[in-house]
Amino acid sequence: LVYERHGEPAAVVQLKDLEMPKLGDCDVHVKMLAAPINPADINMIQGTYPLLSPLPAVGGNEGVGEVLEVGRRVRALKPGDWVIPADAGLGTWRTQGAFPEEMLLKVPRDIPVLCAATLSVNPCTAFRVLADFESLAPGDSIIQNAANSGVGQAVIQIARASGIKTINVVRDRPDLPKLVKRLMALGADHVITEEMLRKPEMKDIFKSIPRPRLALNCVGGKSTTEMLRHLQPKGTMVTYGGMAKQPVIVPVSAFIFRDMRFRGFWMTQWRKDHAQDQESVATMMDALCQLIRRGQLTAPACTEIPLQDYRAALEASMKPFVSSKQILLL
């Protein structure tokens, strides 16, 4: 799936036949199996993301493929191995590709294909925001908005496996009871709407769990300011997305009287910063794969779409209140 200019995905993305390049000594020939459509993919096509691929570009930053053939200098991979992108910008919306070995990470074949296809972005983001900003112990709590997003679903499950309680904020919607039930089934302790953040009933939640030391923000705007009310003094808010396209507004009192910390997180930057620290990457991937094997981390709710129906998948991924990730089957 190629785009030669930036614009609305359904208008600029086209399905094209490209010739496979000759396999270099350090290259790996990969048959792609499945690749999701993430918000960052859409933003890259629109030209609004901080990281843009040179045009013409193949869409997709995430997915899983099977190695078909390797160049003679490739040491870590062999035919039959499963691989995922080591970094953003690989262009995963394709049936096959030839990539340099260092652009790929091997993943175990004993995890479900949809888990592998959605492993390198959302679960990694969830893992890092839970691990890197506050030292959380079993019994502690966190609060997050966009709790039904891919990252939000992974946060719920990883926190649950670590004994950390989650307060999960979602937008009100027509099928709210169904969404609440699904997030509770994943291990959410509390699921509330943005409106509930302003209500006195919030005090009831903190009768059974401590106030959170960590808030995870993927929305911005009013939702973020309301979440802040419930954060402990000296707590940390980590912003990793801005779905409302509105700024984060912080009352002066949060800085002066409550000494709160405000941080940002971008998985792409983390990978750049740890490019020479393969042990950190391997430890994270191993921890996530162990959770998947134990059934403690599942793929987000997915809708599987054949590659030729890509336009429908792109349009569906941009609709409001979508709680299902579109996955292209390749």
Side-chain angles (χ1 to χ4, degrees), residues 5 31 44 46 50 59 127 143 219 222 243 309:
R5 60 189 171 89
K31 175 187 185 297
M44 282 176 80
Q46 291 167 331
F127 186 91
I143 187 168
V219 178
K222 195 184 277 186
M243 286 161 58
D309 295 338

PDB file of all heavy atoms in Angstrom, residues 5 31 44 46 50 59 127 143 219 222 243 309:
ATOM      1  N   ARG A   5       1.984  11.091  -2.090  1.00  0.00           N
ATOM      2  CA  ARG A   5       1.860  12.441  -1.533  1.00  0.00           C
ATOM      3  C   ARG A   5       1.105  12.326  -0.211  1.00  0.00           C
ATOM      4  O   ARG A   5       0.479  11.307   0.066  1.00  0.00           O
ATOM      5  CB  ARG A   5       1.115  13.365  -2.505  1.00  0.00           C
ATOM      6  CG  ARG A   5      -0.290  12.911  -2.834  1.00  0.00           C
ATOM      7  CD  ARG A   5      -0.931  13.723  -3.949  1.00  0.00           C
ATOM      8  NE  ARG A   5      -2.194  13.122  -4.372  1.00  0.00           N
ATOM      9  CZ  ARG A   5      -3.373  13.380  -3.848  1.00  0.00           C
ATOM     10  NH1 ARG A   5      -3.467  14.238  -2.832  1.00  0.00           N
ATOM     11  NH2 ARG A   5      -4.471  12.797  -4.304  1.00  0.00           N
ATOM     12  N   LYS A  31       7.959 -12.516   4.318  1.00  0.00           N
ATOM     13  CA  LYS A  31       6.544 -12.565   3.899  1.00  0.00           C
ATOM     14  C   LYS A  31       5.730 -11.998   5.054  1.00  0.00           C
ATOM     15  O   LYS A  31       5.703 -12.582   6.139  1.00  0.00           O
ATOM     16  CB  LYS A  31       6.143 -14.011   3.615  1.00  0.00           C
ATOM     17  CG  LYS A  31       4.667 -14.192   3.287  1.00  0.00           C
ATOM     18  CD  LYS A  31       4.329 -15.689   3.183  1.00  0.00           C
ATOM     19  CE  LYS A  31       2.905 -15.907   2.739  1.00  0.00           C
ATOM     20  NZ  LYS A  31       1.895 -15.393   3.659  1.00  0.00           N
ATOM     21  N   MET A  44       1.075   9.875   9.693  1.00  0.00           N
ATOM     22  CA  MET A  44       2.217   9.906   8.763  1.00  0.00           C
ATOM     23  C   MET A  44       1.737  10.119   7.331  1.00  0.00           C
ATOM     24  O   MET A  44       2.328  10.895   6.573  1.00  0.00           O
ATOM     25  CB  MET A  44       3.026   8.610   8.879  1.00  0.00           C
ATOM     26  CG  MET A  44       3.920   8.578  10.098  1.00  0.00           C
ATOM     27  SD  MET A  44       4.786   7.006  10.314  1.00  0.00           S
ATOM     28  CE  MET A  44       6.137   7.198   9.152  1.00  0.00           C
ATOM     29  N   GLN A  46      -1.045  11.555   6.446  1.00  0.00           N
ATOM     30  CA  GLN A  46      -1.570  12.925   6.376  1.00  0.00           C
ATOM     31  C   GLN A  46      -0.456  13.970   6.357  1.00  0.00           C
ATOM     32  O   GLN A  46      -0.679  15.124   5.994  1.00  0.00           O
ATOM     33  CB  GLN A  46      -2.500  13.190   7.571  1.00  0.00           C
ATOM     34  CG  GLN A  46      -3.804  12.403   7.518  1.00  0.00           C
ATOM     35  CD  GLN A  46      -4.556  12.443   8.844  1.00  0.00           C
ATOM     36  OE1 GLN A  46      -3.954  12.573   9.915  1.00  0.00           O
ATOM     37  NE2 GLN A  46      -5.868  12.314   8.784  1.00  0.00           N
ATOM     38  N   PRO A  50       5.552  13.749  13.543  1.00  0.00           N
ATOM     39  CA  PRO A  50       6.932  14.264  13.614  1.00  0.00           C
ATOM     40  C   PRO A  50       7.926  13.434  12.798  1.00  0.00           C
ATOM     41  O   PRO A  50       9.007  13.898  12.483  1.00  0.00           O
ATOM     42  CB  PRO A  50       7.283  14.175  15.107  1.00  0.00           C
ATOM     43  CG  PRO A  50       6.006  13.954  15.817  1.00  0.00           C
ATOM     44  CD  PRO A  50       5.045  13.349  14.865  1.00  0.00           C
ATOM     45  N   GLY A  59       2.916   2.355   3.577  1.00  0.00           N
ATOM     46  CA  GLY A  59       2.326   2.624   4.885  1.00  0.00           C
ATOM     47  C   GLY A  59       2.630   1.528   5.893  1.00  0.00           C
ATOM     48  O   GLY A  59       3.051   0.425   5.547  1.00  0.00           O
ATOM     49  N   PHE A 127       4.204  -0.806  28.566  1.00  0.00           N
ATOM     50  CA  PHE A 127       5.243  -1.350  29.449  1.00  0.00           C
ATOM     51  C   PHE A 127       6.152  -0.240  29.968  1.00  0.00           C
ATOM     52  O   PHE A 127       6.437  -0.141  31.162  1.00  0.00           O
ATOM     53  CB  PHE A 127       6.065  -2.390  28.676  1.00  0.00           C
ATOM     54  CG  PHE A 127       7.072  -3.135  29.508  1.00  0.00           C
ATOM     55  CD1 PHE A 127       6.738  -4.321  30.134  1.00  0.00           C
ATOM     56  CD2 PHE A 127       8.368  -2.644  29.658  1.00  0.00           C
ATOM     57  CE1 PHE A 127       7.677  -5.017  30.901  1.00  0.00           C
ATOM     58  CE2 PHE A 127       9.306  -3.316  30.425  1.00  0.00           C
ATOM     59  CZ  PHE A 127       8.960  -4.508  31.050  1.00  0.00           C
ATOM     60  N   ILE A 143      -4.129   6.108  37.054  1.00  0.00           N
ATOM     61  CA  ILE A 143      -5.335   6.557  36.356  1.00  0.00           C
ATOM     62  C   ILE A 143      -4.942   6.849  34.914  1.00  0.00           C
ATOM     63  O   ILE A 143      -3.854   7.364  34.658  1.00  0.00           O
ATOM     64  CB  ILE A 143      -5.964   7.785  37.053  1.00  0.00           C
ATOM     65  CG1 ILE A 143      -7.319   8.144  36.431  1.00  0.00           C
ATOM     66  CG2 ILE A 143      -5.027   8.986  37.049  1.00  0.00           C
ATOM     67  CD1 ILE A 143      -8.138   9.149  37.254  1.00  0.00           C
ATOM     68  N   VAL A 219      -5.041  12.061  25.668  1.00  0.00           N
ATOM     69  CA  VAL A 219      -6.151  12.848  25.125  1.00  0.00           C
ATOM     70  C   VAL A 219      -5.822  14.333  25.061  1.00  0.00           C
ATOM     71  O   VAL A 219      -5.893  14.958  24.004  1.00  0.00           O
ATOM     72  CB  VAL A 219      -7.440  12.606  25.949  1.00  0.00           C
ATOM     73  CG1 VAL A 219      -8.583  13.464  25.413  1.00  0.00           C
ATOM     74  CG2 VAL A 219      -7.830  11.122  25.898  1.00  0.00           C
ATOM     75  N   LYS A 222      -9.596  19.148  28.396  1.00  0.00           N
ATOM     76  CA  LYS A 222     -10.268  19.133  29.691  1.00  0.00           C
ATOM     77  C   LYS A 222     -10.102  17.794  30.417  1.00  0.00           C
ATOM     78  O   LYS A 222      -9.940  17.744  31.635  1.00  0.00           O
ATOM     79  CB  LYS A 222     -11.763  19.415  29.477  1.00  0.00           C
ATOM     80  CG  LYS A 222     -12.488  19.780  30.758  1.00  0.00           C
ATOM     81  CD  LYS A 222     -13.969  19.965  30.540  1.00  0.00           C
ATOM     82  CE  LYS A 222     -14.293  21.344  30.025  1.00  0.00           C
ATOM     83  NZ  LYS A 222     -15.751  21.576  29.955  1.00  0.00           N
ATOM     84  N   MET A 243      -5.226  12.933  21.506  1.00  0.00           N
ATOM     85  CA  MET A 243      -6.354  12.632  20.625  1.00  0.00           C
ATOM     86  C   MET A 243      -7.350  13.792  20.495  1.00  0.00           C
ATOM     87  O   MET A 243      -7.992  13.948  19.464  1.00  0.00           O
ATOM     88  CB  MET A 243      -7.070  11.366  21.109  1.00  0.00           C
ATOM     89  CG  MET A 243      -6.270  10.106  20.809  1.00  0.00           C
ATOM     90  SD  MET A 243      -6.773   8.693  21.798  1.00  0.00           S
ATOM     91  CE  MET A 243      -8.475   8.548  21.365  1.00  0.00           C
ATOM     92  N   ASP A 309      -9.234  -4.944   0.701  1.00  0.00           N
ATOM     93  CA  ASP A 309     -10.292  -4.085   1.267  1.00  0.00           C
ATOM     94  C   ASP A 309      -9.708  -2.957   2.120  1.00  0.00           C
ATOM     95  O   ASP A 309     -10.321  -2.481   3.080  1.00  0.00           O
ATOM     96  CB  ASP A 309     -11.254  -4.934   2.131  1.00  0.00           C
ATOM     97  CG  ASP A 309     -12.008  -5.958   1.297  1.00  0.00           C
ATOM     98  OD1 ASP A 309     -12.124  -5.757   0.076  1.00  0.00           O
ATOM     99  OD2 ASP A 309     -12.457  -6.966   1.866  1.00  0.00           O
TER     100      ASP A 309
END
